[in-house]
Amino acid sequence: MSSGIILLSGGLDSLVSLGIVRDKYTMMMALTFDYGQKSAEEEIKTSKKICDFYGIEHEVLKLDWLKKITHTSLVNEDKVPENITDFNESMKAVWVPNRNGLFLNIAASYCDSFEFDDIIIGANKEEAETFSDNTKEFIKRVNAEFEYSTLSKPKVKAPLIDLTKNDIVKAALEKKIPLDLVRSCYNSGEKHCGKCESCIRLKNALLANGDKYFINLLF
């Protein structure tokens, strides 16, 4: 048994990643980042509920400077793309500069200071098709970096790296991971908007698994 830090946004991927790995670690900590994203308040509330459910420590880190240099619709006043058919265009509209690279390096600093063994990220096969920081190659290169930039040499692990969103929802349903706690929407609001890329991926995956309960609950 070992210790791990998870990058937790409260979305589908980070929630299911935590549900899958929780029993493998004697100690865990979750890091949630507030970089001025539209859904920051909801993500923080959701992540706290998830951490309470799994009994792990939760820290929220504010990155105001990242908001200042992010010029896409996830953060600025532009409307997040809705009902998209081209995920490549959506990716460009919601890109946050070096987000996963930055988050992993911050987590690695925690590992170096508090001797955590692993860093868990919700990178997955489906989003790797459009987001380069979700790919196996990205994870491999970050791990190589930590061999030099840290003393503790933590390992980045992505338990969903070979899974599509359909697979992820299937795993969540089979393992009874609390999908009622999930928050995957790019926008703010009490419920998921149902129109942004993240909502579309989640809704499609729920439909593919024949689940109407969580669709009615979340959207």
Side-chain angles (χ1 to χ4, degrees):
M1 300 291 279
S2 54
S3 58
I5 289 180
I6 185 165
L7 305 184
L8 187 68
S9 69
L12 176 68
D13 307 321
S14 60
L15 168 61
V16 178
S17 293
L18 176 56
I20 288 174
V21 306
R22 179 64 186 101
D23 292 341
K24 299 177 182 178
Y25 295 100
T26 53
M27 181 174 65
M28 287 197 75
M29 172 189 286
L31 300 181
T32 300
F33 297 92
D34 178 357
Y35 50 94
Q37 68 271 39
K38 290 179 170 72
S39 60
E41 183 177 349
E42 289 81 6
E43 288 184 21
I44 292 167
K45 288 180 181 177
T46 294
S47 295
K48 183 182 185 307
K49 291 178 182 177
I50 292 170
C51 289
D52 288 344
F53 180 89
Y54 283 107
I56 68 173
E57 184 179 353
H58 183 219
E59 287 208 24
V60 179
L61 303 178
K62 285 185 67 66
L63 302 173
D64 291 334
W65 62 270
L66 185 56
K67 176 180 180 178
K68 292 180 181 178
I69 66 168
T70 301
H71 307 297
T72 52
S73 62
L74 208 64
V75 170
N76 67 22
E77 297 301 318
D78 294 343
K79 190 174 183 178
V80 173
E82 296 181 349
N83 302 317
I84 48 91
T85 56
D86 185 345
F87 285 138
N88 282 299
E89 288 304 312
S90 177
M91 178 273 291
K92 295 175 184 177
V94 298
W95 185 261
V96 177
N98 192 34
R99 182 176 63 176
N100 283 354
L102 173 64
F103 291 177
L104 288 170
N105 271 279
I106 291 173
S109 295
Y110 272 74
C111 291
D112 227 17
S113 182
F114 299 110
E115 299 184 349
F116 284 92
D117 300 297
D118 297 333
I119 303 169
I120 312 303
I121 186 173
N124 59 87
K125 180 179 180 180
E126 184 168 320
E127 287 181 314
E129 294 177 1
T130 48
F131 290 89
S132 55
D133 58 359
N134 267 249
T135 60
K136 288 183 179 180
E137 184 64 21
F138 171 73
I139 302 298
K140 177 182 176 181
R141 293 194 178 210
V142 172
N143 277 323
E145 173 202 338
F146 291 162
E147 289 289 322
Y148 295 90
S149 66
T150 69
L151 294 177
S152 60
K153 296 177 174 55
K155 297 297 182 184
V156 179
K157 296 187 176 179
L160 311 180
I161 198 67
D162 292 316
L163 303 184
T164 65
K165 296 288 183 174
N166 291 358
D167 299 328
I168 294 168
V169 167
K170 181 180 179 181
L173 294 172
E174 289 176 348
K175 295 177 181 297
K176 301 188 185 309
I177 292 170
L179 289 178
D180 56 305
L181 297 181
V182 77
R183 177 70 191 195
S184 285
C185 186
Y186 285 157
N187 291 298
S188 60
E190 184 177 346
K191 286 198 170 188
H192 289 68
C193 74
K195 298 178 180 179
C196 69
E197 174 184 342
S198 189
C199 280
I200 290 171
R201 289 184 188 273
L202 174 59
K203 185 185 288 186
N204 288 344
L206 289 168
L207 286 170
N209 281 276
D211 184 276
K212 293 183 180 180
Y213 172 78
F214 286 112
I215 290 177
N216 292 331
L217 181 68
L218 298 171
F219 295 94

